[in-house]
Amino acid sequence: MVNIAVLGYGTVGSGVVEVIGRNQEQISGSVGEEVFVKYILDLRDFPGDIYEDRVIHDFNVILEDEEVSVVCETMGGVGAAYRFTKEALGAGKSVCTSNKELVARHGTELLALAAEKHCSYMFEASVGGGIPILRTIQTSFTAERIVAITGILNGTTNYILSKMETEHADYHEVLKQAQELGYAERNPEADVEGYDTCRKTAILAALATGRAVDSEEIYTEGISAVTLADFEFAARMNRRIKLLACVRVQEDGKLLAMVAPFLLPAGHSLAAVGDVFNAVMVTGNMLGDTLFYGRGAGKLPTASAVAADVVDCARSQGRTVMCGWSEQKAAMVDVAEIKRRFFVRTHAATAEAVESAFWGKFDAAVSEGVYCGEEYGFFTPMIKEKDFEKKCGELGNAISGKIRLL
């Protein structure tokens, strides 16, 4: 029998217990012996719960029980979750987690500790919820040199942008709706300002390069500045707006990683991903583009990913399942030096001056510019990010909106 402990009996933790209970035959068959939830750690009691007799309040009970070989950390945060994870790995117990913040911040250290103690630190559920993207990168792309990863990694922001586009609803109105439905937290900053996507991007980038990536070094921009006017122009230009995680490994091995809203052609594979769904496009130097799509969050999809890691750990007791990156830091490209095209909005009265500042002349045919009400929107030529920002600063209030083109 493989005994496991679940830390945190909230949405994901209770989901892990439910998945293992409901799919007991399938999971035990995959492992070759029964997988049993021996402990559930939480500060609360759960009278009347089917598993109330397994709820404990002292982590040391789990730490000192030699029969427990796998720990599922579903607490969240980087306080107690970090301490408990480190102590469990130090005791030779494998840890499976959905905690993207912890993985992004301390993953390098925890992976090294797991290798030292001949156990595993696994975190499939930390990126893409139920989409098996990390495992796939680690196994199915071993013969590929990954050159790019582009994805929609946050269901909350994708829901908001989708509703703004299809229902022509204001950002604040849709955010309130997302909070009422439970898609967004009371404090939605981590989602709408891109921080959640940034942490997931750091994990994907580290796996793609095999080197440590600091999420603090990833340029991050959220969706709070996206307006209905942007969607009106996007529709006229046959484009869609998505918050994207962008990872690109250059020929010299340096890494470009960023999170920001982008205008995508309507025919792009990621453009049709709506509502709370996630999608990740992995580009290999031989294979080309491969798209992975599914529910990026939610109780059971995320719990299913944690349970899959439990199976891998249970099958590999006494050794480390290779999943991670080295302690060497990836060399990062300065986003300011990257050339790309931008979409710019301005008042019709200043259209000629603003477009001329980028193109050297006013020519809607060249810039694909269009009028929408009292505003004018156009695409810039290829320009470095730093030069674009400099021009925007010089033009000041004449620019009412800007979004990158993919």
Side-chain angles (χ1 to χ4, degrees), residues 310-332:
V310 169
V311 170
D312 273 355
C313 290
R315 285 171 172 170
S316 310
Q317 294 185 70
R319 63 186 179 88
T320 302
V321 178
M322 292 307 295
C323 176
W325 49 85
S326 73
E327 295 182 64
Q328 182 179 359
K329 288 192 66 175
M332 305 291 286

Side-chain angles (χ1 to χ4, degrees), residues 119-401:
C119 55
S120 299
Y121 184 52
M122 303 193 70
F123 38 87
E124 179 63 59
S126 67
V127 178
I131 304 173
I133 185 62
L134 304 187
R135 185 174 280 102
T136 302
I137 289 174
Q138 288 281 288
T139 57
S140 300
F141 283 86
T142 52
E144 287 285 320
R145 181 172 65 83
I146 295 177
V147 296
I149 298 176
T150 311
I152 296 169
L153 302 179
N154 184 275
T156 300
T157 52
N158 203 45
Y159 173 85
I160 292 172
L161 294 176
S162 297
K163 288 294 183 181
M164 289 178 70
E165 177 183 38
T166 59
E167 298 182 2
H168 309 291
D170 176 75
Y171 166 78
H172 296 287
E173 177 185 335
V174 179
L175 173 57
K176 182 179 178 182
Q177 185 182 80
Q179 290 171 320
E180 291 171 350
L181 291 170
Y183 295 153
E185 301 289 340
R186 179 175 295 180
N187 179 359
E189 183 181 26
D191 291 322
V192 300
E193 297 304 334
Y195 305 141
D196 176 80
T197 299
C198 173
R199 292 161 187 152
K200 296 170 182 176
T201 303
I203 296 168
L204 286 171
L207 286 177
T209 60
R211 296 181 178 181
V213 176
D214 186 349
S215 60
E216 297 292 326
E217 296 181 10
I218 296 177
Y219 175 87
T220 302
E221 188 177 308
I223 66 167
S224 56
V226 178
T227 68
L228 284 176
D230 293 315
F231 283 102
E232 290 174 8
F233 275 100
R236 285 173 175 261
M237 295 173 161
N238 200 28
R239 299 258 174 171
R240 311 289 288 275
I241 302 174
K242 298 293 180 184
L243 181 71
L244 297 183
C246 297
V247 174
R248 189 166 77 229
V249 183
Q250 304 202 139
E251 288 293 336
D252 60 3
K254 288 188 176 181
L255 174 70
L256 170 66
M258 68 181 301
V259 174
F262 280 83
L263 270 175
L264 290 70
H268 192 283
S269 299
L270 294 174
V273 179
D275 205 68
V276 295
F277 283 85
N278 282 195
V280 184
M281 178 179 287
V282 182
T283 305
N285 67 325
M286 297 289 119
L287 181 62
D289 295 334
T290 305
L291 185 68
F292 301 86
Y293 169 86
R295 293 191 176 276
K299 177 177 179 175
L300 295 181
T302 304
S304 177
V306 175
D309 281 348
V310 169
V311 170
D312 273 355
C313 290
R315 285 171 172 170
S316 310
Q317 294 185 70
R319 63 186 179 88
T320 302
V321 178
M322 292 307 295
C323 176
W325 49 85
S326 73
E327 295 182 64
Q328 182 179 359
K329 288 192 66 175
M332 305 291 286
V333 174
D334 184 358
V335 171
E337 299 295 331
I338 298 299
K339 276 189 172 184
R340 68 172 79 253
R341 297 186 74 188
F342 293 80
F343 166 72
V344 174
R345 277 193 297 113
T346 183
H347 195 277
T350 56
E352 185 171 346
V354 173
E355 184 172 304
S356 297
F358 289 96
W359 283 96
K361 61 179 179 178
F362 181 76
D363 190 341
V366 173
S367 66
E368 302 175 70
V370 298
Y371 286 92
C372 185
E374 296 187 352
E375 283 202 314
Y376 177 75
F378 67 96
F379 297 149
T380 70
M382 292 290 288
I383 183 172
K384 284 187 177 183
E385 292 251 359
K386 65 179 183 181
D387 294 332
F388 175 77
E389 289 302 325
K390 182 180 179 182
K391 284 185 181 292
C392 288
E394 294 169 350
L395 291 163
N397 294 334
I399 292 182
S400 51

